[in-house]
Amino acid sequence: MRLTTLALATLLTACASAPAPHTVAAAPQPVDVPQVARPDGETAAWWYRAGAARAAGNGAMQGRARNVIIFLGDGMSLPTVAAARVLAGQRAGNPGEETMLAFEQFPNTALSRTYNTDYQTPDSAGTMTAIATGVKTRLGVIGIGPGNKRGDCAAVADNTLLSIIELGESAGLSTGVVTTTRLTHATPASVFAHGPDRNWEDDSYLPAAKAAAGCRDLAAQFVDFGFGDGIDVALAGGRAKFTPNTLADAADPKLKGMRKDGRNLVDEWKAKYADGTYVWNSAQLAQAANAPRVLGLFAPQHLPYTADRKADAQEPPLAEMTRAAIAHLQRNDKGFVLLVEGGRIDHAHHDGNARRALEETIAFSDAVQAADEATGDDDTLILVTADHAHTMFFAGYPKRGNPILDKVRGISGEDSSGSEYAVDKNGQPYTTLGYANGPGAPKAGEPRPDLDDIDTEAVDYLQQALVPLGAETHGGDDVGVWAKGPGADAVRGSVEENVLFHFLVQATPTLRERLCAAGTCNADGVPVELPKPADFKP
């Protein structure tokens, strides 16, 4: 269309008088932190200094956050995010591809490299330790540096790292841990415990020789937590790890605790914290709204999958636990540090079950939304990420709006065959989602099952896999990072996973000042030296 001179003038006048568009904030100013050489390899001190340098170089020191919330989608790979957004959209009656999960609307993004110091493809213990302490470390260890080999109890004291929850408590902030897994599982344990093996969740899993060598189980370490006035809110599963094997479970008398030492850690926690309230179901959690301190253990093991929740479920969903935790923590005028984990995304992937994994991801997004609504962008830094990826793939050429859990309606190559389903070289249909390995693979010598009459959207359906394994494995690919709030502008680029800790700490003055008070900061006030946990205890 051609514009006349008058029309063009009118258009230019309208543009000139229109409100100015939203201006983009100036990029945060970097701080130069010289890196240190690696004369002895990638030590804990080197990882910490390198992470601090990258965060400061991105401008994290300009942050003025009062509260920090870390959302950890365990195993939430980028294909998981993409598929979950499609499922959420389709369940709302839309094609799905255009949908955005709550955290995808955050303005700042990055990629995180997840490898452990000794493995290309990592586990949750080493990865969450990196996020929680600023130091990359080995696969399978909890809250300790890479100088400590897995299973070595003698070296723990010399390799113990300070977590962001411990730092927060030492700085006078309130702290919380929320998860759909056992409280003693790898991700949550990494913020309050220190040990050379993630599997030692209770004393029945801790070998006697290791206990004699000084190692302690993770549940006992939660009760013995010695920073500040203790963790204010912990909402999770795993109560069997805290009770003796002679005690019947509160919800199911047929089940008993798992501890062999006779200790009832729930009773010990209540005795230690006179202001504490212990709850084990959703109704009790609601009644504890005004309690100063809450420990909620809502299942003997992990909480049920979202897809398996019953109408009368006693276990609160992740969003409900998140809202409850924030309401408790907001009472502290100094601020708070909160970890929220959607832990069962990972478990469903290990089972080769995409539907449950995607539903857990949507529930995780709901929890992020709840936190965003309960807090303000002016004082709360929210960072969402995953600890590692999985091998689920999103493939084929399904048509726009094709049910994400169904078989591919579309094409297999660049040209359409004209049939309803895309088919492989053997003439069989296949699903959009699958796994590189796992329990969905055919047994030796058997062909791939014909999916024509199989409901691939059923809750128990296992996606087909290439390599047969008893459980699907993690993936080694990068994961996403999404952030908003004070200091979030620094969250950009491709970063090592341990840098996430430094983004959070440098953007929160109360945490920075506590580190500086312990002598870990340089002349510019950047925390660059590896802190010693003993310096942060009362």
Side-chain angles (χ1 to χ4, degrees), residues 122-149:
D123 88 314
S124 294
T127 51
M128 188 59 211
T129 294
I131 296 169
T133 69
V135 174
K136 274 207 183 225
T137 192
R138 296 173 181 266
L139 180 144
V141 302
I142 298 283
I144 57 178
N148 202 134
K149 293 182 178 180

Side-chain angles (χ1 to χ4, degrees), residues 467-535:
V467 178
L469 292 176
E472 180 265 357
T473 72
H474 296 170
D477 37 316
D478 295 353
V479 297
V481 187
W482 299 262
K484 70 179 304 190
D489 288 346
V491 179
R492 63 185 190 276
S494 176
V495 300
E496 298 287 3
E497 193 164 40
N498 62 303
V499 175
L500 304 186
F501 167 89
H502 297 279
F503 282 148
L504 299 170
V505 168
Q506 290 183 20
T508 310
T510 304
L511 298 179
R512 291 201 313 254
E513 291 164 6
R514 181 65 186 93
L515 286 167
C516 289
T520 72
C521 295
N522 65 9
D524 293 321
V526 183
V528 295
E529 303 301 335
L530 185 67
K532 298 177 181 178
D535 294 338

Side-chain angles (χ1 to χ4, degrees), residues 125-174:
T127 51
M128 188 59 211
T129 294
I131 296 169
T133 69
V135 174
K136 274 207 183 225
T137 192
R138 296 173 181 266
L139 180 144
V141 302
I142 298 283
I144 57 178
N148 202 134
K149 293 182 178 180
R150 188 170 184 176
D152 181 4
C153 294
V156 170
D158 292 333
N159 288 279
T160 297
L161 303 171
L162 181 76
S163 80
I164 193 169
I165 291 288
E166 294 167 339
L167 173 61
E169 276 296 328
S170 177
L173 304 184
S174 291

Side-chain angles (χ1 to χ4, degrees), residues 423-440:
V423 295
D424 65 11
K425 288 294 185 181
N426 296 319
Q428 294 182 346
Y430 54 91
T431 57
T432 303
L433 304 180
Y435 289 93
N437 58 48

Side-chain angles (χ1 to χ4, degrees), residues 262-286:
R263 294 177 67 182
N264 185 327
L265 297 182
V266 171
D267 285 348
E268 290 186 24
W269 181 88
K270 290 190 288 187
K272 180 177 180 179
Y273 299 109
D275 63 345
T277 298
Y278 170 70
V279 299
W280 58 268
N281 60 49
S282 186
Q284 291 176 350
L285 177 61

Side-chain angles (χ1 to χ4, degrees), residues 215-403:
C215 273
R216 297 178 297 149
D217 68 86
L218 304 180
Q221 290 191 55
F222 174 80
V223 176
D224 296 337
F225 186 85
F227 294 83
D229 64 354
I231 295 173
D232 299 274
V233 180
L235 307 176
R239 59 177 174 256
K241 301 294 185 180
F242 289 78
T243 56
N245 56 15
T246 56
L247 182 67
D249 183 73
D252 188 348
K254 298 189 296 295
L255 302 176
K256 288 184 169 57
M258 301 184 68
R259 300 195 66 83
K260 297 169 63 178
D261 58 7
R263 294 177 67 182
N264 185 327
L265 297 182
V266 171
D267 285 348
E268 290 186 24
W269 181 88
K270 290 190 288 187
K272 180 177 180 179
Y273 299 109
D275 63 345
T277 298
Y278 170 70
V279 299
W280 58 268
N281 60 49
S282 186
Q284 291 176 350
L285 177 61
Q287 293 168 0
N290 296 319
R293 186 186 307 273
V294 178
L295 170 62
L297 300 175
F298 301 109
Q301 299 295 332
H302 304 303
L303 272 65
Y305 285 115
T306 300
D308 301 330
R309 282 186 61 82
K310 299 177 181 177
D312 60 349
Q314 297 188 50
E315 308 89 358
L318 186 61
E320 181 181 326
M321 291 193 291
T322 300
R323 281 190 290 265
I326 291 173
H328 280 278
L329 299 175
Q330 283 176 327
R331 296 171 189 158
N332 187 343
D333 291 338
K334 292 188 67 175
F336 64 82
V337 179
L338 172 64
L339 167 67
V340 180
E341 182 200 21
R344 305 224 65 193
I345 302 169
D346 174 76
H347 297 164
H349 276 321
H350 281 308
D351 290 340
N353 181 254
R355 176 173 166 177
R356 285 190 174 91
L358 301 190
E359 293 202 18
E360 290 301 304
T361 304
I362 295 170
F364 177 75
S365 174
D366 291 342
V368 175
Q369 182 68 35
D372 195 17
E373 293 171 353
T375 58
D377 291 348
D378 59 331
D379 66 355
T380 302
L381 173 57
I382 302 177
L383 184 143
V384 181
T385 190
D387 48 354
H388 55 73
H390 270 273
T391 72
M392 189 191 81
F393 54 77
F394 189 144
Y397 295 92
K399 293 180 179 179
R400 175 78 185 271
N402 193 75

